[in-house]
Amino acid sequence: MLTAKTWTNIAWASLGLLGALEILSWQTAAYGQICYETGQTADQECAAYGIPLFVFIKIGKALEDHNAAVTAFFTVVLAISTIALWRSTDKLWLAAVAQGRDMENSIAEAARSASAMENVASHIEANNRVATENIKLGAQIALENRRAYLAVDFNGGFYQESGLSFGITPSLMNVGVTPAYKVDYWAIADIVPWPIPEDFVFRTGDEIKFGAVLNPRQGFGLNARVDRLVPDEEVEPIMRGMEKRVVIWGKVTFEDISGTPRYVKFCHSIYWIKTSQGERALSQWAPRHNEAT
C-alpha cells in the first residue's frame, strides 16, 4: 500500500512534468513552421532535425486538447495525496495522543512508586526509631539489673535508761550486684506523735561524709539517738508506742557503677513489747519519707 509520502512525491512529479510540457508547447509551432523558421524547408533532413521538437509539439497539443481531463487527473492525484497525507497526519496525532496517555500513565505510575517508596522510607525510619529505643531500653534494663541497690532495714534499738536517751540502730545493706560508691548518710531520731501527723516536718540532719564503698551483700549499721532525755514517767508510754514513739528518718546518698547519683530516704518507728525474756523491740515503717532512686 502506497504511503502518504509516496502519493505526495507522485503528485509533485506529475505537476512538474505537466508544467514542463506546457512550457515547451508554448514555444513551438506547426511542423512546417519549424522547417521554415530554421531555413531548412528544402532540406531533406528537416524532419530529422525537428523530430524531438515535433514529439514535444504533439504531446503539447494532446495536453492542450485534453487540458480539462489532464487537470482533472492531476487534481485527483493531488486529492488522493492530500487525503493520504491527512490520514498519515491523523495517525500521527492519534499516536501523539496515545503517547501522551502513556506518558501520563508513566508519570502516575512514577508518582505511585515514589509514594510507595516514601511509605517504605517512613516505615524504615519508624523501625529504626523503635530499634534505637529498644537498644536504649535494653541498655537501661541491663544497667538497672546490674546496678547497686541500697536498703535500710530495722536492726534494733534501745530505750532510755541509766542516763542514756532513746536510740535506733538500723542497718544499711547493698542488695544489688555491683558496688555502691561514695556512700554518705544522715539520720535523725526523735520522739513524735504516732501516727505521724500530716503536717509534721521532717527536718534535715547533718550529713556524715563517709565516701565509703559498699560491695554487694555488704552492709553496716546506722544509728541515731534522741538528743534529749524525757521524764521517767514518760518512758513507759513512749516504749509502748500508743501515742508517741521513737522515730528515725534520714537519707543515704551514693553513686552506682555508671556514676549516676542515687539516694534512699527512710523513716520507721520503734516500740517495745514485754515478753518472758524481757523487752523486745519491734519496728514499723512510717507512711512518709520512704523513697529511693
Side-chain angles (χ1 to χ4, degrees), residues 146-165:
R146 301 293 299 175
R147 53 159 284 201
Y149 286 90
L150 300 190
V152 179
D153 199 4
F154 176 69
N155 191 40
F158 34 87
Y159 51 84
Q160 179 177 309
E161 65 175 352
S162 304
L164 297 176
S165 62

Side-chain angles (χ1 to χ4, degrees), residues 212-249:
V213 176
L214 200 60
N215 292 312
R217 307 305 172 188
Q218 184 182 14
F220 60 81
L222 310 177
N223 67 83
R225 280 184 174 273
V226 177
D227 60 359
R228 66 188 183 281
L229 295 173
V230 298
D232 291 341
E233 62 273 15
E234 294 183 12
V235 172
E236 180 72 15
I238 292 173
M239 291 178 61
R240 304 305 163 218
M242 300 303 295
E243 296 182 359
K244 292 183 180 181
R245 285 188 185 181
V246 178
V247 175
I248 186 171
W249 67 88

Side-chain angles (χ1 to χ4, degrees), residues 35-191:
C35 294
Y36 175 78
E37 292 176 0
T38 58
Q40 297 176 346
T41 53
D43 195 333
Q44 58 180 358
E45 296 180 357
C46 177
Y49 282 111
I51 287 175
L53 189 56
F54 179 76
V55 172
F56 282 110
I57 292 171
K58 288 300 183 180
I59 294 174
K61 279 186 63 65
L63 293 175
E64 185 178 357
D65 293 340
H66 301 86
N67 182 57
V70 171
T71 301
F73 169 74
F74 283 106
T75 301
V76 171
V77 171
L78 183 59
I80 293 173
S81 176
T82 303
I83 293 172
L85 180 61
W86 172 81
R87 291 186 61 188
S88 178
T89 305
D90 185 61
K91 290 179 180 179
L92 288 175
W93 180 81
L94 293 175
V97 172
Q99 186 177 11
R101 283 198 300 267
D102 293 341
M103 182 63 71
E104 291 178 357
N105 293 335
S106 297
I107 294 173
E109 187 63 29
R112 284 192 295 270
S113 298
S115 178
M117 290 302 296
E118 184 178 356
N119 292 334
V120 170
S122 298
H123 290 146
I124 292 175
E125 183 180 358
N127 290 337
N128 288 339
R129 280 199 304 270
V130 172
T132 302
E133 291 173 0
N134 288 338
I135 291 172
K136 291 181 180 179
L137 180 60
Q140 182 65 29
I141 292 174
L143 176 61
E144 293 295 325
N145 289 335
R146 301 293 299 175
R147 53 159 284 201
Y149 286 90
L150 300 190
V152 179
D153 199 4
F154 176 69
N155 191 40
F158 34 87
Y159 51 84
Q160 179 177 309
E161 65 175 352
S162 304
L164 297 176
S165 62
F166 285 98
I168 304 179
T169 56
S171 62
L172 177 66
M173 178 71 69
N174 182 359
V175 296
V177 295
T178 53
Y181 301 94
K182 301 180 182 179
V183 180
D184 301 320
Y185 87 97
W186 60 263
I188 295 175
D190 202 356
I191 300 169

